[in-house]
Amino acid sequence: MKVAPETSTAARLRALAALAALKILSRAAWGRLRFKGLRVVVPRGCFAPIFVSTALLSDAAAALAKGGLAVEAGAGCGPLALSLARSRGVEVVGTDVDVRCLRASLANAKLNKLDALYHPVACAEASCLRSGAFDYALANPPYLPLDQRLSLPACGGASLEVYRRMLADAARVLKQGGILLFTASTLTGRVEGAALLGERWALFDRVRAYAWRKPSGPSPSRPRGTRAAGSPA
C-alpha cells in the first residue's frame, strides 16, 4: 500500500480551510457527548467524536470485525475503540501519547461497562506493542498534508510522514491476514493498494474509509531500515 500526498496549491488552500474549520469545531466539542449509543466524556483538547471520520471508521469496523483482538493507534478518549468493543465484543488495546486523553478513555470504558474489553496503553502509534499480535488495527490518523506544527490532531506532516508512520506501525502489529482499517480524505492524496469501503462528505472534502489486509506467508528478510513489500508507506 502506498499513500502519495496531494501537493497542488489548490489542495493546500482547501486543506488550510478545512483545518481552520476543524479548529473552530474542536474548541466547542468537549464535555459529555454521545457516540453510537455510548456516553463519552471528552476533556478539553482531546479529539471529540463529532467528525465524519470517526463515525465512518466505526461503521466500517463494525461491519468487518468478527471477534478477536484489535488495536486502535491514537485512541484518544476512546469512542472508536469502545464502539467496536460494544458492537462486536472485540477486545481492544488503545494507544495514545496524550495520557490525559488516555485516562479519559479508561473512565469512558468504565462508564459504559466496557472496561473488561478495553486496555489503554501510553505510547506513540503502536510502538509499545508486539509485532504480529492483532487481528485488526484501527487508525483515524491526522490526514491533512500540512506541517504538524499547525495542529497535532489534524495534520499528518507536509509529506504525510506522520500519517504514514502511524499506518506502518499499525500494520506491523497485525497478524498475517489481519486487517488495517484507516481513514483518509480527498485532501490527503492518492491511496493505492487498499480497498475503499465508503466515503462521506465533510465541509471541504470527502472523507474515506479503507481496508488493507496484511499478506500471508513468510516475509522476506531485508536490511534494517528498509520497508517490507506490501507494507503501508
Side-chain angles (χ1 to χ4, degrees), residues 65-190:
K66 298 177 181 178
L69 183 62
V71 59
E72 183 188 358
C77 57
L80 182 56
L82 296 178
S83 69
L84 179 59
R86 179 175 180 175
S87 64
R88 305 302 292 176
V90 175
E91 194 167 358
V92 186
V93 174
T95 71
D96 207 287
V97 293
D98 192 321
V99 175
R100 190 171 58 95
C101 297
L102 204 61
R103 285 174 178 161
S105 75
L106 180 57
N108 287 328
K110 293 177 178 178
L111 180 64
N112 291 279
K113 301 186 184 333
L114 292 167
D115 46 307
L117 292 174
Y118 176 70
H119 314 286
V121 182
C123 68
E125 292 90 40
S127 59
C128 54
L129 303 178
R130 180 165 55 88
S131 298
F134 293 86
D135 302 289
Y136 305 97
L138 310 179
N140 186 17
Y143 51 61
L144 295 178
L146 299 170
D147 193 307
Q148 208 182 28
R149 287 175 293 183
L150 296 175
S151 172
L152 290 175
C155 299
S159 301
L160 292 178
E161 62 275 9
V162 175
Y163 178 89
R164 289 188 287 187
R165 184 176 70 238
M166 197 166 181
L167 293 188
D169 206 34
R172 175 187 61 79
V173 301
L174 282 173
K175 298 176 181 177
Q176 292 179 356
I179 298 174
L180 170 62
L181 298 162
F182 66 98
T183 53
S185 155
T186 48
L187 298 175
T188 304
R190 187 174 64 257

Side-chain angles (χ1 to χ4, degrees), residues 23-63:
K23 285 184 174 180
I24 292 171
L25 291 171
S26 295
R27 291 190 192 105
W30 63 278
R32 296 182 179 275
L33 305 176
R34 303 284 295 192
F35 179 75
K36 300 291 183 180
L38 297 167
R39 293 175 292 164
V40 181
V41 178
V42 180
R44 284 183 184 269
C46 296
F47 193 78
I50 65 168
F51 300 104
V52 171
S53 58
T54 309
L56 181 60
L57 191 57
S58 175
D59 291 345

